Amino acid sequence: MDQVSQQQSVIPAAQAAGNKGVKLVIVEDDKFLRDLIVRKLTTEGFLVREAESGEQGLEVLREDPPQLLLLDILLPGMSGYEVLEAIRNDEKLKSVPVVMLSNLGQKEEIEKAESLGAKDFLIKAKYTPGEIVTRVKEILGELYL
């Protein structure tokens, strides 16, 4: 069974068990927002790792690639775009789906994220942490069911 098939068979079972075993990473420098989202995702049963900078995010990703990455654009050090580029150039990480999470919502920003392979682009100001969790579940369902 190839890696994608293995992931596909794991995700629906994990969702049936309350998302247990589904690994997510959030890279967000705003501690308050990051804590809110992590708390919501953890309450839903997800295994969540977090980072506050692009470099730290790449370290966390390389240690244990998740089923989904939530990635801010404006980060200290490496930007979210630079992280996304590094992910796409890394054999071990290039298949990790990335959802950009940013207050930058101009068309050019969204197009740049999509051109670098982002699966979705959520504008923070338009989503509550609960709505972000709902969207994460929808994206996981689309990707793995």
PDB file of all heavy atoms in Angstrom, residues 59-81:
ATOM      1  N   GLU A  59      11.106  22.944  11.315  1.00  0.00           N
ATOM      2  CA  GLU A  59      11.675  21.934  12.214  1.00  0.00           C
ATOM      3  C   GLU A  59      10.591  20.964  12.681  1.00  0.00           C
ATOM      4  O   GLU A  59      10.785  19.747  12.661  1.00  0.00           O
ATOM      5  CB  GLU A  59      12.304  22.602  13.440  1.00  0.00           C
ATOM      6  CG  GLU A  59      13.643  23.236  13.199  1.00  0.00           C
ATOM      7  CD  GLU A  59      14.175  23.934  14.452  1.00  0.00           C
ATOM      8  OE1 GLU A  59      13.909  23.464  15.575  1.00  0.00           O
ATOM      9  OE2 GLU A  59      14.849  24.964  14.277  1.00  0.00           O
ATOM     10  N   VAL A  60       9.462  21.518  13.118  1.00  0.00           N
ATOM     11  CA  VAL A  60       8.347  20.692  13.605  1.00  0.00           C
ATOM     12  C   VAL A  60       7.832  19.789  12.485  1.00  0.00           C
ATOM     13  O   VAL A  60       7.579  18.603  12.702  1.00  0.00           O
ATOM     14  CB  VAL A  60       7.221  21.596  14.162  1.00  0.00           C
ATOM     15  CG1 VAL A  60       5.946  20.812  14.429  1.00  0.00           C
ATOM     16  CG2 VAL A  60       7.677  22.309  15.430  1.00  0.00           C
ATOM     17  N   LEU A  61       7.703  20.337  11.285  1.00  0.00           N
ATOM     18  CA  LEU A  61       7.222  19.556  10.142  1.00  0.00           C
ATOM     19  C   LEU A  61       8.167  18.403   9.810  1.00  0.00           C
ATOM     20  O   LEU A  61       7.725  17.296   9.523  1.00  0.00           O
ATOM     21  CB  LEU A  61       7.077  20.445   8.912  1.00  0.00           C
ATOM     22  CG  LEU A  61       5.924  21.435   8.928  1.00  0.00           C
ATOM     23  CD1 LEU A  61       6.089  22.452   7.811  1.00  0.00           C
ATOM     24  CD2 LEU A  61       4.600  20.716   8.805  1.00  0.00           C
ATOM     25  N   ARG A  62       9.461  18.675   9.842  1.00  0.00           N
ATOM     26  CA  ARG A  62      10.447  17.648   9.478  1.00  0.00           C
ATOM     27  C   ARG A  62      10.528  16.541  10.529  1.00  0.00           C
ATOM     28  O   ARG A  62      10.812  15.402  10.199  1.00  0.00           O
ATOM     29  CB  ARG A  62      11.814  18.292   9.254  1.00  0.00           C
ATOM     30  CG  ARG A  62      11.838  19.087   7.959  1.00  0.00           C
ATOM     31  CD  ARG A  62      13.165  19.744   7.677  1.00  0.00           C
ATOM     32  NE  ARG A  62      13.129  20.417   6.398  1.00  0.00           N
ATOM     33  CZ  ARG A  62      13.545  21.655   6.187  1.00  0.00           C
ATOM     34  NH1 ARG A  62      14.068  22.364   7.183  1.00  0.00           N
ATOM     35  NH2 ARG A  62      13.466  22.193   4.989  1.00  0.00           N
ATOM     36  N   GLU A  63      10.256  16.880  11.791  1.00  0.00           N
ATOM     37  CA  GLU A  63      10.281  15.867  12.860  1.00  0.00           C
ATOM     38  C   GLU A  63       9.164  14.844  12.661  1.00  0.00           C
ATOM     39  O   GLU A  63       9.373  13.658  12.884  1.00  0.00           O
ATOM     40  CB  GLU A  63      10.096  16.532  14.225  1.00  0.00           C
ATOM     41  CG  GLU A  63      11.301  17.288  14.718  1.00  0.00           C
ATOM     42  CD  GLU A  63      10.988  18.130  15.953  1.00  0.00           C
ATOM     43  OE1 GLU A  63       9.926  17.943  16.584  1.00  0.00           O
ATOM     44  OE2 GLU A  63      11.824  18.989  16.286  1.00  0.00           O
ATOM     45  N   ASP A  64       7.981  15.328  12.280  1.00  0.00           N
ATOM     46  CA  ASP A  64       6.820  14.444  12.174  1.00  0.00           C
ATOM     47  C   ASP A  64       5.782  15.102  11.260  1.00  0.00           C
ATOM     48  O   ASP A  64       4.933  15.866  11.732  1.00  0.00           O
ATOM     49  CB  ASP A  64       6.237  14.204  13.576  1.00  0.00           C
ATOM     50  CG  ASP A  64       5.174  13.130  13.579  1.00  0.00           C
ATOM     51  OD1 ASP A  64       5.083  12.342  12.617  1.00  0.00           O
ATOM     52  OD2 ASP A  64       4.419  13.073  14.562  1.00  0.00           O
ATOM     53  N   PRO A  65       5.834  14.836   9.951  1.00  0.00           N
ATOM     54  CA  PRO A  65       4.915  15.484   9.016  1.00  0.00           C
ATOM     55  C   PRO A  65       3.441  15.225   9.384  1.00  0.00           C
ATOM     56  O   PRO A  65       3.065  14.099   9.689  1.00  0.00           O
ATOM     57  CB  PRO A  65       5.259  14.851   7.663  1.00  0.00           C
ATOM     58  CG  PRO A  65       6.672  14.395   7.822  1.00  0.00           C
ATOM     59  CD  PRO A  65       6.785  13.959   9.256  1.00  0.00           C
ATOM     60  N   PRO A  66       2.630  16.276   9.369  1.00  0.00           N
ATOM     61  CA  PRO A  66       1.217  16.156   9.731  1.00  0.00           C
ATOM     62  C   PRO A  66       0.331  15.843   8.525  1.00  0.00           C
ATOM     63  O   PRO A  66       0.813  15.806   7.387  1.00  0.00           O
ATOM     64  CB  PRO A  66       0.900  17.557  10.251  1.00  0.00           C
ATOM     65  CG  PRO A  66       1.729  18.438   9.351  1.00  0.00           C
ATOM     66  CD  PRO A  66       3.019  17.656   9.139  1.00  0.00           C
ATOM     67  N   GLN A  67      -0.953  15.661   8.781  1.00  0.00           N
ATOM     68  CA  GLN A  67      -1.927  15.501   7.703  1.00  0.00           C
ATOM     69  C   GLN A  67      -2.340  16.861   7.124  1.00  0.00           C
ATOM     70  O   GLN A  67      -2.858  16.931   6.022  1.00  0.00           O
ATOM     71  CB  GLN A  67      -3.173  14.759   8.200  1.00  0.00           C
ATOM     72  CG  GLN A  67      -3.061  13.260   8.123  1.00  0.00           C
ATOM     73  CD  GLN A  67      -2.365  12.669   9.343  1.00  0.00           C
ATOM     74  OE1 GLN A  67      -2.478  13.173  10.443  1.00  0.00           O
ATOM     75  NE2 GLN A  67      -1.638  11.587   9.135  1.00  0.00           N
ATOM     76  N   LEU A  68      -2.094  17.958   7.899  1.00  0.00           N
ATOM     77  CA  LEU A  68      -2.451  19.299   7.433  1.00  0.00           C
ATOM     78  C   LEU A  68      -1.640  20.333   8.184  1.00  0.00           C
ATOM     79  O   LEU A  68      -1.382  20.185   9.374  1.00  0.00           O
ATOM     80  CB  LEU A  68      -3.951  19.564   7.662  1.00  0.00           C
ATOM     81  CG  LEU A  68      -4.488  20.885   7.115  1.00  0.00           C
ATOM     82  CD1 LEU A  68      -4.771  20.754   5.620  1.00  0.00           C
ATOM     83  CD2 LEU A  68      -5.763  21.285   7.827  1.00  0.00           C
ATOM     84  N   LEU A  69      -1.251  21.390   7.475  1.00  0.00           N
ATOM     85  CA  LEU A  69      -0.523  22.508   8.063  1.00  0.00           C
ATOM     86  C   LEU A  69      -1.344  23.778   7.912  1.00  0.00           C
ATOM     87  O   LEU A  69      -1.801  24.096   6.811  1.00  0.00           O
ATOM     88  CB  LEU A  69       0.828  22.686   7.351  1.00  0.00           C
ATOM     89  CG  LEU A  69       1.597  23.979   7.624  1.00  0.00           C
ATOM     90  CD1 LEU A  69       2.025  24.073   9.084  1.00  0.00           C
ATOM     91  CD2 LEU A  69       2.804  24.082   6.695  1.00  0.00           C
ATOM     92  N   LEU A  70      -1.529  24.505   9.024  1.00  0.00           N
ATOM     93  CA  LEU A  70      -2.113  25.850   8.997  1.00  0.00           C
ATOM     94  C   LEU A  70      -0.942  26.813   9.101  1.00  0.00           C
ATOM     95  O   LEU A  70      -0.156  26.749  10.058  1.00  0.00           O
ATOM     96  CB  LEU A  70      -3.058  26.063  10.183  1.00  0.00           C
ATOM     97  CG  LEU A  70      -4.378  25.341  10.118  1.00  0.00           C
ATOM     98  CD1 LEU A  70      -5.058  25.355  11.488  1.00  0.00           C
ATOM     99  CD2 LEU A  70      -5.281  25.988   9.086  1.00  0.00           C
ATOM    100  N   LEU A  71      -0.805  27.709   8.121  1.00  0.00           N
ATOM    101  CA  LEU A  71       0.406  28.524   8.000  1.00  0.00           C
ATOM    102  C   LEU A  71       0.072  29.996   7.804  1.00  0.00           C
ATOM    103  O   LEU A  71      -0.598  30.371   6.841  1.00  0.00           O
ATOM    104  CB  LEU A  71       1.227  28.003   6.809  1.00  0.00           C
ATOM    105  CG  LEU A  71       2.517  28.717   6.458  1.00  0.00           C
ATOM    106  CD1 LEU A  71       3.536  28.633   7.596  1.00  0.00           C
ATOM    107  CD2 LEU A  71       3.097  28.115   5.172  1.00  0.00           C
ATOM    108  N   ASP A  72       0.561  30.819   8.726  1.00  0.00           N
ATOM    109  CA  ASP A  72       0.434  32.275   8.605  1.00  0.00           C
ATOM    110  C   ASP A  72       1.430  32.762   7.549  1.00  0.00           C
ATOM    111  O   ASP A  72       2.410  32.066   7.245  1.00  0.00           O
ATOM    112  CB  ASP A  72       0.737  32.915   9.963  1.00  0.00           C
ATOM    113  CG  ASP A  72       0.431  34.406  10.030  1.00  0.00           C
ATOM    114  OD1 ASP A  72      -0.202  34.944   9.093  1.00  0.00           O
ATOM    115  OD2 ASP A  72       0.821  35.034  11.024  1.00  0.00           O
ATOM    116  N   ILE A  73       1.195  33.937   6.993  1.00  0.00           N
ATOM    117  CA  ILE A  73       2.124  34.493   6.000  1.00  0.00           C
ATOM    118  C   ILE A  73       3.163  35.385   6.669  1.00  0.00           C
ATOM    119  O   ILE A  73       4.358  35.240   6.444  1.00  0.00           O
ATOM    120  CB  ILE A  73       1.375  35.293   4.915  1.00  0.00           C
ATOM    121  CG1 ILE A  73       0.509  34.353   4.077  1.00  0.00           C
ATOM    122  CG2 ILE A  73       2.367  36.037   4.019  1.00  0.00           C
ATOM    123  CD1 ILE A  73      -0.380  35.061   3.073  1.00  0.00           C
ATOM    124  N   LEU A  74       2.700  36.315   7.510  1.00  0.00           N
ATOM    125  CA  LEU A  74       3.617  37.250   8.156  1.00  0.00           C
ATOM    126  C   LEU A  74       4.153  36.636   9.436  1.00  0.00           C
ATOM    127  O   LEU A  74       3.467  36.586  10.455  1.00  0.00           O
ATOM    128  CB  LEU A  74       2.908  38.578   8.448  1.00  0.00           C
ATOM    129  CG  LEU A  74       2.391  39.323   7.219  1.00  0.00           C
ATOM    130  CD1 LEU A  74       1.624  40.570   7.629  1.00  0.00           C
ATOM    131  CD2 LEU A  74       3.540  39.692   6.285  1.00  0.00           C
ATOM    132  N   LEU A  75       5.387  36.151   9.351  1.00  0.00           N
ATOM    133  CA  LEU A  75       6.037  35.481  10.475  1.00  0.00           C
ATOM    134  C   LEU A  75       7.408  36.105  10.699  1.00  0.00           C
ATOM    135  O   LEU A  75       8.011  36.630   9.761  1.00  0.00           O
ATOM    136  CB  LEU A  75       6.227  33.987  10.158  1.00  0.00           C
ATOM    137  CG  LEU A  75       4.972  33.148   9.986  1.00  0.00           C
ATOM    138  CD1 LEU A  75       5.307  31.816   9.327  1.00  0.00           C
ATOM    139  CD2 LEU A  75       4.300  32.930  11.335  1.00  0.00           C
ATOM    140  N   PRO A  76       7.923  36.008  11.933  1.00  0.00           N
ATOM    141  CA  PRO A  76       9.299  36.472  12.137  1.00  0.00           C
ATOM    142  C   PRO A  76      10.261  35.547  11.381  1.00  0.00           C
ATOM    143  O   PRO A  76      10.027  34.345  11.281  1.00  0.00           O
ATOM    144  CB  PRO A  76       9.496  36.352  13.659  1.00  0.00           C
ATOM    145  CG  PRO A  76       8.383  35.505  14.162  1.00  0.00           C
ATOM    146  CD  PRO A  76       7.288  35.523  13.139  1.00  0.00           C
ATOM    147  N   GLY A  77      11.317  36.113  10.827  1.00  0.00           N
ATOM    148  CA  GLY A  77      12.269  35.304  10.045  1.00  0.00           C
ATOM    149  C   GLY A  77      11.670  34.973   8.693  1.00  0.00           C
ATOM    150  O   GLY A  77      11.288  35.858   7.928  1.00  0.00           O
ATOM    151  N   MET A  78      11.556  33.690   8.404  1.00  0.00           N
ATOM    152  CA  MET A  78      10.990  33.235   7.125  1.00  0.00           C
ATOM    153  C   MET A  78       9.498  33.578   7.056  1.00  0.00           C
ATOM    154  O   MET A  78       8.773  33.343   8.005  1.00  0.00           O
ATOM    155  CB  MET A  78      11.100  31.714   6.996  1.00  0.00           C
ATOM    156  CG  MET A  78      12.464  31.153   6.830  1.00  0.00           C
ATOM    157  SD  MET A  78      12.380  29.325   6.745  1.00  0.00           S
ATOM    158  CE  MET A  78      11.954  29.101   5.023  1.00  0.00           C
ATOM    159  N   SER A  79       9.074  34.058   5.905  1.00  0.00           N
ATOM    160  CA  SER A  79       7.639  34.296   5.718  1.00  0.00           C
ATOM    161  C   SER A  79       6.937  32.971   5.447  1.00  0.00           C
ATOM    162  O   SER A  79       7.576  31.957   5.132  1.00  0.00           O
ATOM    163  CB  SER A  79       7.406  35.235   4.532  1.00  0.00           C
ATOM    164  OG  SER A  79       7.644  34.539   3.310  1.00  0.00           O
ATOM    165  N   GLY A  80       5.620  32.979   5.551  1.00  0.00           N
ATOM    166  CA  GLY A  80       4.841  31.792   5.223  1.00  0.00           C
ATOM    167  C   GLY A  80       5.073  31.346   3.789  1.00  0.00           C
ATOM    168  O   GLY A  80       5.090  30.144   3.497  1.00  0.00           O
ATOM    169  N   TYR A  81       5.260  32.304   2.884  1.00  0.00           N
ATOM    170  CA  TYR A  81       5.536  31.946   1.488  1.00  0.00           C
ATOM    171  C   TYR A  81       6.856  31.190   1.365  1.00  0.00           C
ATOM    172  O   TYR A  81       6.962  30.225   0.618  1.00  0.00           O
ATOM    173  CB  TYR A  81       5.589  33.190   0.595  1.00  0.00           C
ATOM    174  CG  TYR A  81       4.273  33.902   0.442  1.00  0.00           C
ATOM    175  CD1 TYR A  81       4.174  35.256   0.661  1.00  0.00           C
ATOM    176  CD2 TYR A  81       3.118  33.209   0.054  1.00  0.00           C
ATOM    177  CE1 TYR A  81       2.961  35.923   0.502  1.00  0.00           C
ATOM    178  CE2 TYR A  81       1.903  33.872  -0.099  1.00  0.00           C
ATOM    179  CZ  TYR A  81       1.836  35.226   0.130  1.00  0.00           C
ATOM    180  OH  TYR A  81       0.642  35.880  -0.022  1.00  0.00           O
TER     181      TYR A  81
END
